[in-house]
């Protein structure tokens, strides 16, 4: 039996292709804005920008960065065969940028009083990856 086989007949897990350069640049201390400028499709770079803005109390900015990372991640998921639902495992490191952006979007939405968006993103995160929901919260 394959690991992550869905016995209930749902869609298979989506695994984004690895793009290590943005992750390596961030780990080396490159400013997230520089990484996002060089790799605008990287959800990870946008998620880091969202986290930094949130930490600094810039909630609207955090929301905007997170929304960008979220949409870039949706684009990548669709290119990888995702049909709008199904598992996006946190255990697969290339998925973490999207999941972090989704979490950041929920957090920022709550901070600016956008309750419906907060609830939608929180549910989406839990459905996509219970591990991400538990780890990032």
């Amino acid at each position: 039996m394959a690991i992550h086989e869905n016995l209930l007949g749902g869609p298979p897990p989506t695994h984004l292709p690895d793009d290590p350069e943005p992750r390596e640049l961030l780990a080396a201390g490159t400013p997230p804005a520089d990484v996002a400028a060089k790799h605008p499709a990287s959800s990870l770079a946008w998620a880091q920008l969202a986290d930094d803005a949130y930490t600094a109390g810039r909630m609207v900015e955090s929301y905007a960065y997170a929304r960008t990372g979220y949409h870039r991640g949706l684009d990548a998921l669709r290119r990888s065969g995702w049909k709008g639902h199904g598992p996006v495992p946190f255990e697969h490191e290339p998925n973490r940028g999207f999941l972090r952006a989704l979490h950041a979007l929920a957090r920022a939405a709550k901070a600016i009083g956008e309750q419906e968006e907060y609830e939608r993103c929180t549910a989406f995160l839990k459905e996509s990856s219970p591990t991400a929901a538990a780890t990032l919260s």
Side-chain angles (χ1 to χ4, degrees):
M1 181 182 306
I3 296 176
H4 300 295
E5 183 178 338
N6 186 337
L7 299 177
L8 299 177
T14 301
H15 296 97
L16 293 173
D18 196 13
D19 183 10
E21 188 173 358
R23 187 173 60 244
E24 292 166 356
L25 288 169
L26 290 169
T30 304
D34 293 347
V35 178
K38 185 174 181 180
H39 299 278
S42 171
S43 290
L44 180 61
W46 294 107
Q48 188 61 55
L49 284 165
D51 288 348
D52 292 350
Y54 185 86
T55 299
R58 299 186 317 267
M59 300 306 149
V60 171
E61 198 175 313
S62 178
Y63 182 90
Y65 287 137
R67 181 158 289 290
T68 300
Y70 165 75
H71 281 285
R72 297 313 294 253
L74 288 177
D75 293 343
L77 286 167
R78 288 182 187 112
R79 282 191 305 272
S80 294
W82 184 75
K83 302 294 186 209
H85 66 284
V88 181
F90 186 74
E91 295 79 2
H92 181 66
E93 189 167 7
N95 290 351
R96 291 181 184 178
F98 166 73
L99 295 166
R100 282 184 54 193
L102 178 56
H103 165 73
L105 182 57
R107 179 185 62 200
K110 184 175 185 181
I112 65 171
E114 196 174 352
Q115 188 64 26
E116 286 181 33
E117 179 80 344
Y118 164 72
E119 290 171 6
R120 182 187 68 78
C121 290
T122 299
F124 186 13
L125 183 63
K126 287 177 184 174
E127 291 165 8
S128 297
S129 174
T131 301
T135 301
L136 298 172
S137 296

